[in-house]
Structure formats: C-alpha cells, structure tokens
C-alpha cells in the first residue's frame, strides 16, 4: 500500500479517524475529509506528527461542488487517489409519523447521496489512472436489522449495499472493487451521543450482543484496510458484517 492515497469521508469521526490512522500506519497518504474542517485538519496534523502523511479537507458530502473540489484538492496534493472510504454519517431520532422531509433528506443525503457523489468523482480518477482501486462504504447491521424511529438511517444503509453492488458490476472491468462494511455497535462519539440521548439503550443492547461488547473503531479499520489490500483482490460487491454475531441473535436468550 506504500505510496498510495486514500480519501476518508467522515474522516474526523470515530470510525473514520481510526481508518485514517490505519492507512497512515501502512504508508498510505490520507485525505481526512470532513464537514468539520477544524477536526479534519487537527487529525491530519496529529497523523503527520506521528510520522504519517495526511491533509485535512473540509467537505460537505451532500454538495456536488464541494465533493468535486475535495477530490481535486486530494489529487493536486498527493498526485493520485487509490482508495475511497465513505464514513460520513449522521443519525436522528424521530418516529416516521413525525418525520419531516428535511430530516429524511438530511440523513439519506449524507449517507447515500454522499456515497454516490464521492464514488463518482473518485471513480472517474481511478478510471483515468487505469490501475484499479478500492471503494468501501460504511453501511451497518441496520441495513438488514432495521432500527425503528431513526428516520432514513436503515433505508440509507440498505441503499449503500445496493450502490456497492451496482458499482461493483459497472467497475469490475476497471479493476475497481466496491464493498460495504456493516458494523454492529461501535464505541464512537456517534454511539455515545445516542446513549446520552437514550440512557437505558446501552444496557438493553448489550443483552442482545453475543460477544457481550461493542466493537472498537480499530477493529472496523482493520477490515477496511483488508478490503483495500492485496489479500482481497477478488472480493467485490460484498456486504460484510463486523458485529460479533449480532445479526444471528434471533434465537439468543437475553443475558442478565
Ligand atoms: N458507531 C456505530 O456504532 C456505527 C455502527 C454502524 C455503522 N456506523 C456508521 O459508521 C460511520 C461513522 O460513524 P461514527 O460512529 O464514527 O460517527 P461519528 O459521528 O463519530 O463520525 C461521523 C463523521 O461524519 C462527519 N459528517 C457528518 N455529516 C457530514 C457531511 N454532511 N459532510 C461531511 N462529513 C460529515 C462528522 O463531522 C463526523 O466527523 C457512519 O456512517 C455510521 O452510520 C456507525
């Protein structure tokens, strides 16, 4: 992977920052792309102090112009792009009967339209370069185990699996592999925000987790790096759970 370049959207977030650090530790130049430009630049600076090669890029993943500029800046800085990891995401709480169109679109556009805009912009570069590439979408177990009262979250995560499938077919001839990763609960700022909003939720969920714990962001980053590495050349169009068997828990007795 040495000398290659990755763009990580939501790169300043919990999972995104672990992915950025993992890439940097493997000699990959990283564009930390996030709507929070300050945190993106701070993380890039910290990675550089740690010996990695990173730049912070402020981007709004829902805006076509902002996405195209972010990809152009990345290529101008590093000279190329090889990997896209789309981690940008948000989450609201609202029953469907009370959900506004703005709330619905705010979630759907961040997860799914953002994935489309970024993969189109990066995909064009990858085709031009002619050396293949890898795209990874951060989906969720929520794609197949729908979460009630979370607006478009589950539909958006299911849509990411659909988009990964479409692109894996369209781009197979270019040597570009496109996969979705489906974490269960991961201990990140987004999860902490949800637990703060709903204080009994963590204890309830832990009872339904076969592994008895959430994932660490670094465990998800390891899977992303595998999907961008030489060990996964024939994996494309897949949606891979990383959930400690959470999706298999239908008959599981709740732990005390
Ligand atoms: N934490 C979990 O348990 C969990 C489980 C499954 C999937 N996921 C998914 O993983 C991804 C990362 O989650 P996380 O827990 O690290 O969340 P996080 O809140 O820590 O990080 C999300 C990042 O996305 C950025 N972002 C939000 N909207 C943006 C926009 N419009 N443009 C650019 N950047 C934007 C935020 O600034 C933030 O840095 C999300 O897509 C989330 O749905 C998380």
């Amino acid at each position: 992977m040495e000398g290659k370049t990755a763009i990580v959207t939501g790169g300043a977030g919990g999972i995104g920052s672990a992915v950025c650090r993992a890439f940097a530790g493997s000699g990959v130049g990283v564009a930390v792309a996030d709507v929070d430009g300050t945190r993106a630049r701070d993380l890039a600076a910290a990675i550089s102090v740690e010996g990695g090669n990173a730049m912070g890029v402020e981007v709004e993943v829902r805006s076509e112009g902002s996405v195209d500029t972010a990809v152009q800046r990345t290529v101008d800085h590093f000279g190329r792009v090889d990997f896209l990891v789309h981690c940008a995401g948000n989450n609201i709480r609202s029953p469907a009967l009370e959900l506004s169109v703005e709330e619905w679109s705010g979630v759907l556009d961040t997860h799914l339209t953002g994935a489309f805009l970024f993969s189109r912009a990066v995909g064009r570069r990858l085709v031009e370069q002619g050396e293949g590439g890898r795209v990874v979408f951060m989906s969720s177990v929520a794609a197949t185990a729908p979460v009630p009262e979370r607006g478009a979250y589950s539909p958006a995560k299911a849509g990411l699996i659909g988009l990964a499938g479409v692109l894996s077919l369209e781009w197979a001839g270019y040597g570009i592999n496109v996969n979705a990763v489906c974490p269960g609960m991961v201990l990140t700022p987004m999860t902490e925000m949800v637990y703060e909003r709903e204080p009994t939720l963590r204890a309830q969920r832990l009872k339904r987790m076969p592994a008895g714990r959430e994932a660490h962001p670094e465990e998800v980053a390891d899977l992303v790096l595998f999907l961008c590495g030489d060990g996964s050349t024939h994996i494309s169009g897949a949606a891979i759970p990383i959930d400690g068997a959470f999706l298999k828990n239908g008959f599981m007795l709740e732990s005390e």
Side-chain angles (χ1 to χ4, degrees), residues 9 20 33 39 46 50 63 74 77 90 95 105 113 124 190 217 227:
T9 77
C20 289
R39 280 196 301 127
E50 291 159 17
S63 155
T74 303
H77 183 83
N90 54 3
S105 301
T113 307
R124 286 172 176 162
M190 181 186 281
L227 289 172

Side-chain angles (χ1 to χ4, degrees), residues 131-207:
E131 296 171 35
R134 305 289 170 87
V135 175
V136 180
F137 297 146
M138 202 52 62
S139 179
S140 167
V141 291
T144 43
V147 194
E149 301 191 352
R150 294 296 189 287
Y153 190 77
S154 286
K157 291 310 196 188
L160 285 174
I161 294 175
L163 182 60
V166 169
L167 298 182
S168 72
L169 294 176
E170 291 194 19
W171 295 353
Y174 300 113
I176 302 167
N177 294 7
V178 187
N179 292 291
V181 165
C182 303
M185 270 54 76
V186 186
L187 275 180
T188 70
M190 181 186 281
T191 310
E192 280 160 20
M193 183 265 288
V194 172
Y195 288 159
E196 268 169 34
R197 204 170 57 195
E198 300 164 67
T200 56
L201 190 63
R202 184 175 191 206
Q204 286 170 0
R205 282 185 173 174
L206 281 172
K207 286 184 185 174

Side-chain angles (χ1 to χ4, degrees), residues 55-138:
M55 74 180 292
V57 183
E58 187 170 329
V59 67
E60 168 52 72
V61 300
R62 296 174 290 186
S63 155
E64 186 176 10
S66 179
V67 169
D68 289 347
T69 303
V71 174
Q72 183 65 52
R73 282 191 59 201
T74 303
V75 174
D76 287 347
H77 183 83
F78 292 104
R80 59 182 297 116
V81 62
D82 301 280
F83 312 125
L84 166 67
V85 183
H86 180 60
C87 288
N90 54 3
N91 187 322
I92 56 157
R93 181 164 191 195
S94 175
L97 291 176
E98 290 159 25
L99 194 66
S100 69
V101 174
E102 289 73 25
E103 289 169 326
W104 167 268
S105 301
V107 172
L108 197 66
D109 288 352
T110 304
H111 293 269
L112 189 54
T113 307
F116 161 66
L117 291 174
F118 252 103
S119 31
R120 190 183 61 177
V122 171
R124 286 172 176 162
R125 300 291 174 156
L126 293 176
V127 169
E128 259 171 45
Q129 285 174 187
E131 296 171 35
R134 305 289 170 87
V135 175
V136 180
F137 297 146
M138 202 52 62

Side-chain angles (χ1 to χ4, degrees), residues 7-29:
I7 301 181
V8 182
T9 77
I15 295 174
S17 58
V19 171
C20 289
R21 283 205 149 90
F23 272 130
S26 299
V28 174

